[in-house]
Amino acid sequence: DAGSSVEEVEFNWDEYLEDTGATAAPHGSFKHVDTSLQNGFAPGMKLEVAVKSDQNTYWVATIITTCGQLLLLRYDGYGEDRKADFWCDIMTADLHPIGWCEQNKKILKVPEGIKDKIPDQEEFLQRVLKGACSAPANLLEGLHRGKNPLDLIAPGSRLELQNVRDSLEAWIVNVVENVGGRLKLRYEGLEDSDKFDQWMFYLDPFLHQVGWAAQHGYSLQPPLAIRSLKSEADWQEILKKVKKEEEESSVPTDVFKDKPVIGVHSFSEGMKLEAVDPMAPFVISPATVLKVYNEKYFMVEIDDLRPERTTSQSYICHVNSAGIFPVQWSLKNGLHLSPPPGYPGQDFDWADYLKQCGAEAAPQSCFPSLTSDHGFKENMKLEAVNPVDPEEVCIATVTKLKDSCLWLQLEGSKKPIPDCIVSVESMNIFPVGWCETNGYQLRPPRKAIVNKQKKIAVVQPEKQILSSRTVHDGLKNQELNSSDSVVINGKYCCPKIYFNHRCFSGPYLNKGRIAELPQSVGPGNCVLVLKEVLTLLINAAYKPSRVLRELQLDEEAAWHGHGETLKAKYKGKSYRATVEVVRTADRVADFCRKTCIKLECCPNLFGPQMVLDKCSENCSVLTKTKYTHYYGKRKNKRIGRPPGGHSNLEVAMKKPNKRRKRRKHFFVHKKKRSSTSVDNTPAGSPQGSGGEEEDDQDEVDEESLTEDSTSEHQDELLEESEVSEKKSLSSSPTQSELSHSLAQDRDKRKRKLRTFSFSDDENKPPSPKDIKVEVAEKLQLDSNPLEWSVADVVRFLKSTDCAPLARIFLDQEIDGQALLLLTLPTVQECMDLKLGPAIKLCHHIERVKLAFYQQFAN
């Protein structure tokens, strides 16, 4: 607006979601977008591929996954072994349908890597090709080779559009623009006028290839709205012209193979129902089935009782049309039903209305079952077409959900409109980032969100443009930041990422939360899809800040991808870190696998390959106690409690929270660990598996990640720590042995929260010459060692002459039960102690065991 003092800023979804505290609707909820990214190839299809080591020979390969014009292939014979999987470009690779070699006298020869596995080539080929599905020849050869179906609907292409007022008629339309499958259509004959242009997604049931009307017995007639603009002779001339140019401008039938199939309806004329007018989808009103055309189509009219009405709101429907509901649907769902104009009184009653009209309600059996598993939730954000002005795609917020309907509040539209009602399967809604990916203008919010007051510990500086990353030969030397979403020949289109819930989730990720994740995310822009996947994983962690730290970009690592800032919330604090994600589809599979290994879970937990039956990593045999052996980062053995039990270590070992200084840098990298420090705790320690907390790790998280938290919450945490500390002291092992140290600690707690501090010297085991084993007096315990926490064990050791070894017990989380199981061989092997210190330590452990048997064993 003129005179506005709000500065125009470039809209950024990430910043907007952060400012509003909202989440994006999952990519998997937009099925039409998912379908539009398919290229006609499907996992499991087979084809003949040139062998890399010998270009004159070929071998059968199976498609593992697809991404735009890229295919991930595996030569038949490798079975479940993925080590030889390779990506290839349909446009440049030597790929052919099954049978091509035989027809063209080419040699099929087993690759060297699997020669010993296939003794009889002929028998093997007969077996693997029996009942196999070959990749379509037209997608591998000819003009359509490697093209996404959407690429075939180019400007100038012709289609047939059914008349929304009379479904038995259709007319030819020209594609003016194709935006990610959303087509701007202009009626044939109106080349110079855009007054009657329409926007429609290419999978719309009313849109067809040229020739459809003739095949199905429908007439080709221009709609009434434009029929008077030309004479009948002119329209016939236009039809002749179209038939002559049909081959040049027609769109292949294959493009529409995924279009929803229209079923048979059971509506009759005169039936009453509730409906939403698609031209103004803001209210639900009583409606009537005005006309039945055939078994597939019928006309619905919004009821209007005014005698002076001159126009009617009617439109064509089919059995799967959105926005038609049984009588009383609004009442059952607590929604307002708008009475027909001219209805006497304000309180509408269906029983009286049906009696007054002498009509019957359409039975429930006329309506299909409603979709419930859609993934949308209230307050989620998405992008949606403005029904009043279809040129506009706006930011939308889900304000209400009922069955398969969404109520969307559109932001930034030129004219404010009420919440519009759409189906969860509507082709006029899109995931966050869709406009950006397809180069279309998204209407930003009407007012920029500026100077929003936040109580945070850091101030975020302006977004930095990271150093130049060359991501494509055609984009060399260009700066790309997180707002770039370049899609070139499908190279940047990420394949669908599956969450394989059966796979081993490792120590970081909560199995229950992983099970609640959507089955898949994407396909779509690589950066956006992978960012959504990582955000879901962080939120599914026992300790999100710790997972974020593991994913954080190492400042010493070579830069190969694209930096994205991710957030994690934990214990009332917010953490940020820069995470590297890949930008190109051919690196997605490797990125997912390496990320899984970072998180110490099964390498197949998430990635572009769906685990149907049995995981190729055989991860089902793993238990929480075996994960370090298979996927752990450190070789040190651990002898602490198995995952699952709760430890008092958190409160007893907690270091005082200090108000942190404001940080200046947005991108903060991991701190280097001192080479002298002892760190035997794997990133996925048992606390991660069972839900226990480890506060010394909290400190590392705070140091290595940018933290946002309120000072009030820090004070609360400090008070909670003091209360918990007092509770944990009550279960100390021997009050008589620790009375002196506790008295000193009470004085210290008056000034600050008591902490255990272990110097590097304490980590060093005593030298053999210092060892002097003495027979101590009989030990009397004030509490059962089976109930000791890790903190209790540490306190006991600090009261003995083995105090320097307490750090090892703390690092390895050895509680009372674990302590009683320790033996001399175990101590030597797992703690890497020499014989002398190990004997000295075991002497004190035996004293505890003896006291346990005498005092508590019965």
Side-chain angles (χ1 to χ4, degrees), residues 508-646:
Y508 284 163
L509 305 174
N510 185 317
K511 184 72 174 176
R513 293 179 194 165
I514 288 290
E516 294 173 359
L517 294 182
Q519 187 177 9
S520 63
V521 172
N525 177 273
C526 271
V527 172
L528 295 176
V529 170
L530 293 177
K531 187 174 180 182
E532 181 179 347
V533 168
L534 295 181
T535 300
L536 289 170
L537 290 171
I538 289 170
N539 294 335
Y542 289 108
K543 191 171 180 181
S545 60
R546 192 167 183 183
V547 168
L548 180 60
R549 178 177 164 271
E550 289 301 322
L551 297 175
Q552 185 179 10
L553 181 67
D554 190 340
E555 61 184 350
E556 296 180 352
W559 186 278
H560 296 296
H562 174 73
E564 280 292 321
T565 301
L566 299 184
K567 296 190 306 177
K569 290 187 178 180
Y570 180 63
K571 285 190 173 181
K573 299 179 185 177
S574 294
Y575 300 92
R576 296 184 188 180
T578 304
V579 174
E580 182 184 14
V581 295
V582 295
R583 294 183 63 95
T584 55
D586 57 332
R587 298 177 56 206
V588 167
D590 186 56
F591 171 81
C592 292
R593 188 172 179 85
K594 287 180 178 176
T595 304
C596 286
I597 292 172
K598 270 187 185 179
L599 300 182
E600 301 190 17
C601 56
C602 172
N604 288 338
L605 181 67
F606 60 93
Q609 186 174 9
M610 182 191 291
V611 174
L612 297 174
D613 246 346
K614 188 177 180 183
C615 173
S616 59
E617 299 288 337
N618 199 26
C619 66
S620 59
V621 303
L622 295 180
T623 61
K624 297 286 184 183
T625 55
K626 292 180 181 177
Y627 72 88
T628 22
H629 177 71
Y630 290 91
Y631 303 116
K633 299 184 186 70
R634 299 168 180 83
K635 295 180 180 178
N636 300 51
K637 297 183 180 179
R638 297 182 53 78
I639 50 177
R641 288 270 297 158
H646 181 73

Side-chain angles (χ1 to χ4, degrees), residues 566-819:
L566 299 184
K567 296 190 306 177
K569 290 187 178 180
Y570 180 63
K571 285 190 173 181
K573 299 179 185 177
S574 294
Y575 300 92
R576 296 184 188 180
T578 304
V579 174
E580 182 184 14
V581 295
V582 295
R583 294 183 63 95
T584 55
D586 57 332
R587 298 177 56 206
V588 167
D590 186 56
F591 171 81
C592 292
R593 188 172 179 85
K594 287 180 178 176
T595 304
C596 286
I597 292 172
K598 270 187 185 179
L599 300 182
E600 301 190 17
C601 56
C602 172
N604 288 338
L605 181 67
F606 60 93
Q609 186 174 9
M610 182 191 291
V611 174
L612 297 174
D613 246 346
K614 188 177 180 183
C615 173
S616 59
E617 299 288 337
N618 199 26
C619 66
S620 59
V621 303
L622 295 180
T623 61
K624 297 286 184 183
T625 55
K626 292 180 181 177
Y627 72 88
T628 22
H629 177 71
Y630 290 91
Y631 303 116
K633 299 184 186 70
R634 299 168 180 83
K635 295 180 180 178
N636 300 51
K637 297 183 180 179
R638 297 182 53 78
I639 50 177
R641 288 270 297 158
H646 181 73
S647 169
N648 292 327
L649 176 62
E650 171 190 2
V651 291
M653 298 294 128
K654 190 148 192 165
K655 298 194 175 185
N657 285 298
K658 297 178 182 178
R659 294 176 183 264
R660 306 189 67 81
K661 294 181 181 178
R662 290 176 177 265
R663 296 185 183 271
K664 294 182 180 179
H665 298 295
F666 184 51
F667 297 102
V668 182
H669 297 289
K670 292 183 187 177
K671 285 198 169 187
K672 296 179 183 177
R673 290 179 181 264
S674 169
S675 58
T676 58
S677 65
V678 175
D679 184 7
N680 293 325
T681 308
S685 61
Q687 61 85 23
S689 299
E692 296 181 17
E693 313 292 352
E694 186 180 312
D695 280 270
D696 56 340
Q697 185 63 42
D698 270 340
E699 182 191 14
V700 178
D701 286 339
E702 290 176 10
E703 290 177 355
S704 62
L705 306 176
T706 305
E707 175 200 329
D708 297 350
S709 65
T710 62
S711 57
E712 291 95 329
H713 189 76
Q714 290 174 332
D715 294 338
E716 290 171 10
L717 287 175
L718 198 63
E719 292 170 8
E720 290 173 7
S721 298
E722 291 176 354
V723 172
S724 302
E725 171 67 23
K726 291 174 184 176
K727 289 180 180 178
S728 66
L729 288 175
S730 64
S731 61
S732 57
T734 57
Q735 198 67 32
S736 58
E737 294 183 69
L738 300 180
S739 59
H740 178 65
S741 61
L742 290 180
Q744 292 176 331
D745 289 335
R746 287 192 200 98
D747 294 332
K748 290 180 182 178
R749 276 204 310 278
K750 291 178 182 178
R751 297 187 299 274
K752 64 177 184 176
L753 181 66
R754 183 169 68 87
T755 64
F756 287 101
S757 173
F758 304 104
S759 66
D760 286 340
D761 291 338
E762 290 173 325
N763 291 330
K764 298 175 184 175
S767 59
K769 64 182 180 182
D770 295 332
I771 297 175
K772 188 176 179 183
V773 180
E774 296 178 355
V775 179
E777 63 184 51
K778 186 177 178 181
L779 187 64
Q780 284 293 322
L781 301 178
D782 292 344
S783 60
N784 190 337
L786 285 177
E787 299 170 356
W788 285 4
S789 66
V790 177
D792 296 334
V793 172
V794 169
R795 287 194 195 94
F796 168 72
L797 286 174
K798 293 285 283 183
S799 69
T800 69
D801 55 359
C802 285
L805 302 179
R807 178 69 183 195
I808 300 175
F809 282 68
L810 174 63
D811 285 341
Q812 299 206 16
E813 296 183 354
I814 300 173
D815 64 2
Q817 291 186 38
L819 180 74

Side-chain angles (χ1 to χ4, degrees), residues 1 16 282 384-396 408-420 441-447:
D1 297 336
Y16 180 73
F282 311 119
V385 174
N386 183 349
V388 176
D389 183 1
E391 288 273 352
E392 287 186 358
V393 179
C394 305
I395 295 165
L408 299 179
Q409 180 185 49
L410 301 186
E411 301 175 39
S413 57
K414 293 175 185 175
K415 296 179 181 179
I417 60 173
D419 288 6
C420 54
Q441 178 61 48
L442 175 70
R443 292 287 302 177
R446 189 168 286 104
K447 291 183 180 179

Side-chain angles (χ1 to χ4, degrees), residues 480-492:
L480 298 175
N481 56 32
S482 62
S483 65
D484 294 325
S485 294
V486 185
V487 179
I488 299 178
N489 296 329
K491 183 172 183 179
Y492 297 90

Side-chain angles (χ1 to χ4, degrees), residues 431-445:
V432 162
W434 183 86
C435 281
E436 184 183 10
T437 300
N438 291 283
Y440 195 78
Q441 178 61 48
L442 175 70
R443 292 287 302 177

